[in-house]
């Protein structure tokens, strides 16, 4: 048992270095994603199995973390929602299904589509990418081997080689970890690029539960050096809008004045100061 744990940990240590090798390609994808957001476009992930689930997870987490609408970052998985927990036979091998899922989203040329496939050859992903390219949408891929087939179907391929898996063929291990690390970078840094973050603070967080309400107040405190009582008061005055409360404090503005400053600053707190 101890040997197995040690060996898995050794293998996991290889993942960050493999991802680091692809940082220039990841940066290109992020730049294009930011450009898509600025054109009111969407970031759309698509994959099958573990790859699809990771895309859906990253998309779902953008909503509370960055205060965006669910339509802004979308995760598509071959076979639909039921495939999140139960394998849907044949779905990943259907290229037409990949294209149809994007058609159902009314894909436009302003959108960014990222196909995720550890194997690098999933037909569902290829079908989606080909359709996306046909209408002029931006395309990227995340594959976990070099010379991946899906790389030929996108403008910005990312190919991470993590080496053999501890459990042969189980792409939920190192491959899944690599994909999660890359998705973290794409969504987080893209949101930074459109003003959803101030310094390293989640200023657009949605306080949907008590934990997040308290976190929101602490964010206001960190951003403005206000005490707890002051942060709580402005949080309430801003109707629980963290970013608005921060600008109110930093610029000594009323709620309406702060809202106008944010509009003029395209949502960037730093540009209001």
């Amino acid at each position: 048992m101890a040997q197995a744990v040690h060996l898995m940990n050794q293998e996991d240590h290889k993942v960050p270095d493999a991802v680091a090798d692809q940082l220039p390609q990841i940066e290109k994808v992020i730049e294009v994603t930011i450009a898509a957001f600025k054109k009111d476009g969407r970031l759309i992930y698509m994959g099958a199995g573990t790859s699809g689930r990771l895309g859906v997870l990253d998309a779902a987490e953008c909503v509370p973390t960055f205060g965006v609408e669910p339509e802004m970052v979308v995760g598509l998985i071959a076979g639909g929602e039921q495939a999140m927990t139960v394998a849907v036979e044949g779905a990943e091998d259907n290229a037409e299904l990949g294209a149809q899922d994007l058609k159902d989203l009314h894909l436009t040329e302003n959108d960014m589509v990222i196909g995720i496939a550890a194997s690098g050859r999933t037909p569902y992903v290829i079908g989606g990418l080909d359709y996306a390219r046909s209408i002029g949408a931006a395309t990227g891929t995340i594959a976990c081997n070099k010379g991946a087939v899906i790389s030929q179907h996108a403008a910005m391929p990312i190919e991470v080689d993590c080496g053999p898996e501890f459990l042969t063929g189980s792409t939920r291990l190192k491959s899944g970890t690599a994909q999660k690390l890359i998705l973290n970078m794409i969504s987080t840094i893209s949101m930074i690029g459109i003003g959803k973050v101030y310094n390293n603070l989640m200023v657009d967080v949605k306080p949907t539960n008590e934990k997040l309400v308290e976190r929101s107040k602490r964010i206001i405190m960190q951003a403005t050096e206000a005490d707890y009582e002051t942060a709580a008061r402005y949080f309430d005055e801003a109707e629980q809008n963290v970013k608005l409360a921060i600008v109110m404090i930093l610029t000594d503005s009323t709620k309406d004045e702060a809202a106008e400053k944010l509009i003029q600053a395209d949502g960037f707190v730093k540009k209001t100061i």
Side-chain angles (χ1 to χ4, degrees):
M1 186 72 68
Q3 182 182 19
V5 170
H6 180 71
L7 287 173
M8 279 197 72
N9 182 248
Q10 275 189 323
E11 289 299 313
D12 287 343
H13 273 281
K14 298 176 182 179
V15 176
D17 287 340
V19 172
D21 182 60
Q22 291 294 293
L23 291 182
Q25 288 80 359
I26 295 170
E27 182 180 355
K28 292 177 184 176
V29 170
I30 292 170
E31 289 174 348
V32 175
T33 301
I34 292 172
F37 284 155
K38 289 182 176 179
K39 295 184 292 186
D40 293 325
R42 298 164 293 177
L43 170 58
I44 300 168
Y45 301 127
M46 60 187 315
T50 297
S51 298
R53 294 184 189 101
L54 288 170
V56 172
L57 173 64
D58 195 73
E61 291 178 340
C62 284
V63 176
T65 304
F66 302 109
V68 299
E69 296 300 318
E71 296 79 16
M72 186 172 176
V73 184
V74 179
L76 296 175
I77 181 170
E81 288 186 13
Q82 63 177 322
M84 287 294 293
T85 56
V86 180
V88 178
E89 299 299 330
E92 69 178 77
D93 295 327
N94 191 332
E96 292 181 2
L97 180 61
Q100 187 60 52
D101 280 353
L102 291 179
K103 292 176 183 178
D104 291 343
L105 284 179
H106 305 291
L107 190 75
T108 77
E109 61 183 9
N110 293 332
D111 295 324
M112 172 67 170
V113 177
I114 298 179
I116 314 168
S119 67
R121 58 177 183 271
T122 306
Y124 171 81
V125 173
I126 291 172
L129 290 170
D130 286 347
Y131 174 71
R133 293 177 72 187
S134 74
I135 68 166
T139 53
T141 58
I142 303 173
C144 293
N145 54 60
K146 299 295 184 180
V149 175
I150 62 171
S151 297
Q152 303 167 24
H153 296 263
M156 292 163 288
I158 298 169
E159 297 182 340
V160 183
D161 184 2
C162 298
E165 297 284 7
F166 173 82
L167 186 63
T168 301
S170 182
T171 54
R172 71 184 183 88
L173 300 179
K174 287 191 297 184
S175 294
T177 300
Q179 291 172 337
K180 183 67 169 75
L181 290 175
I182 294 169
L183 293 171
N184 285 346
M185 283 190 276
I186 292 172
S187 58
T188 302
I189 300 175
S190 294
M191 291 297 173
I192 291 172
I194 60 171
K196 294 293 181 179
V197 176
Y198 173 57
N199 294 334
N200 67 331
L201 301 172
M202 300 185 296
V203 293
D204 269 317
V205 63
K206 284 188 174 180
T208 54
N209 56 46
E210 188 58 37
K211 178 191 74 173
L212 292 178
V213 166
E214 290 305 309
R215 181 180 295 170
S216 297
K217 294 173 185 176
R218 291 197 298 274
I219 289 172
I220 295 170
M221 292 170 66
Q222 287 180 261
T224 65
E225 298 184 355
D227 58 31
Y228 182 86
E229 289 72 21
T230 301
R233 176 164 57 86
Y234 276 91
F235 180 62
D236 289 338
E237 289 181 12
E239 298 180 2
Q240 297 196 335
N241 185 316
V242 176
K243 181 185 283 185
L244 192 58
I246 289 171
V247 174
M248 288 170 68
I249 295 172
L250 291 179
T251 63
D252 191 24
S253 301
T254 66
K255 176 187 169 185
D256 290 342
E257 291 170 342
E260 183 59 32
K261 289 178 186 294
L262 279 170
I263 291 173
Q264 296 299 320
D266 294 324
F268 286 82
V269 173
K270 191 166 291 186
K271 293 181 182 180
T272 68
I273 303 171

